[in-house]
Amino acid sequence: MTGTGSADQDAQARAEVLARALPYLRRYAGDTVVVKYGGSAMVDTTLSTAFGHDIALLKQVGVNPVVVHGGGPQISAMLKRLQIESTFIDGLRVTDAAMIDVIEMVLGGKVNKQVAGLINRAGALAVGISGLDGGLITARRLIRRARENGVETDRLLDLGFVGEPERIDPRVIYALSGSGLIPVIAPIGSSASGETYNINADTAAGAIAGAVNASRLLMLTDVPGVLDGNGKLIPELTAEDARKGIASGMISGGMIPKVETCLEAVRAGAKAAVILDGRVQHACLLELFTEAGPGTLIRSA
């Protein structure tokens, strides 16, 4: 009798979870959610397996997920094997002509297919592409100004074949999603003249989220989200609050470009963006289908 009672309680608990999730399932049915995949969620086997199942589940319940992935550690490992030295400026890899060939091979090949494989093994159908496919990402060379003591100067930095999105043509995304497939995108773009550029995955995901008017941009990171002056998580910010946080110094360091990416995504058409703790199992499901996800949501107002 004890075993039966325990089983009944377990079944009841699962039913309650489903009942609580139902309003959220209805809210996002038919919507597009862009997920930037990287950090610990990408290298930890338990987290990566859970991620694949989460993305597959989103598709099965009527959400249209679009995954944009990074691959910095994998690129570094391959460059080391090939004895090609890497140089970084402000967190961006200086990329010459030989290096961009390696980056395209690693990001658009091995890593892209590995991420798609995680989702396929979870029971969905994912297709790996890059920003070069279907003219998805038209890119331009990224121009950065040098910083001294945290202040921008007039000196321009040459990062080589490092780019930023100039235009997003989402037709290939719509074609895949409409056919029941999940696009998995490597952040590589091409200029109008045919040059290939390596693009920061956060930046690419933000531009794509804006272009497809995503209900959510979920940025998986290795931090809890935006923290206040006392180190407590801020669950939600308006765009205005986020900009004030940057100006005041509350938002600083590596969090600034992540917040700026969220702001640009929201400005360009995404309904909201979330800086999400990817070290938490099932972070995407917790964010979309529960009242309080493990991160900071940024919306226009």
Side-chain angles (χ1 to χ4, degrees), residues 210-230:
V212 300
N213 301 121
S215 285
R216 289 290 184 272
L217 165 63
L218 305 181
M219 294 181 59
L220 296 180
T221 67
D222 286 346
V223 295
V226 180
L227 307 180
D228 65 16
N230 297 316

Side-chain angles (χ1 to χ4, degrees), residues 35-42 51 55 202 217-223 258 274-280 282-284:
V35 184
K36 184 269 176 172
Y37 179 51
S40 294
M42 199 169 187
F51 172 82
I55 299 301
D202 288 355
L217 165 63
L218 305 181
M219 294 181 59
L220 296 180
T221 67
D222 286 346
V223 295
K258 295 186 183 301
V274 186
I275 298 172
L276 200 57
D277 193 342
R279 299 167 299 179
V280 177
H282 307 299
C284 294

Side-chain angles (χ1 to χ4, degrees), residues 88-271:
F88 290 86
I89 299 177
D90 291 342
L92 296 172
R93 190 189 307 269
V94 179
T95 305
D96 60 20
M99 200 175 289
I100 192 64
D101 289 340
V102 176
I103 289 172
E104 184 176 356
M105 175 183 69
V106 174
L107 271 186
K110 183 177 181 180
V111 176
N112 186 252
K113 306 316 173 190
Q114 284 177 339
V115 177
L118 289 171
I119 301 167
N120 288 329
R121 287 192 294 275
L125 293 175
V127 176
I129 62 173
S130 79
L132 302 175
D133 294 306
L136 174 56
I137 303 177
T138 300
R140 61 186 169 222
R141 187 176 292 249
L142 178 65
I143 302 299
R144 278 283 178 92
R145 295 185 181 276
R147 287 178 175 269
E148 292 182 5
N149 299 319
V151 179
E152 282 191 350
T153 68
D154 291 331
R155 183 168 61 88
L156 299 180
L157 300 173
D158 183 7
L159 298 169
F161 292 91
V162 175
E164 62 182 351
E166 183 174 37
R167 184 174 64 87
I168 303 294
D169 184 343
R171 285 180 293 175
V172 66
I173 294 176
Y174 295 146
L176 292 171
S177 294
S179 299
L181 305 173
I182 299 171
V184 175
I185 302 167
I188 305 166
S190 176
S191 70
S193 59
E195 291 179 309
T196 299
Y197 286 105
N198 177 28
I199 302 170
N200 177 272
D202 288 355
T203 305
I208 290 170
V212 300
N213 301 121
S215 285
R216 289 290 184 272
L217 165 63
L218 305 181
M219 294 181 59
L220 296 180
T221 67
D222 286 346
V223 295
V226 180
L227 307 180
D228 65 16
N230 297 316
K232 290 185 62 177
L233 176 68
I234 302 173
E236 186 169 333
L237 287 167
T238 65
E240 182 179 359
D241 289 337
R243 285 189 286 267
K244 287 180 178 178
I246 293 173
S248 70
M250 181 192 74
I251 298 172
S252 61
M255 185 56 68
I256 292 177
K258 295 186 183 301
V259 171
E260 289 179 337
T261 293
C262 292
L263 290 171
E264 177 58 24
V266 170
R267 186 205 63 78
K271 292 180 182 177

Side-chain angles (χ1 to χ4, degrees), residues 282-294:
H282 307 299
C284 294
L285 299 185
L286 289 169
E287 175 58 38
L288 294 175
F289 301 142
T290 66
E291 292 183 4

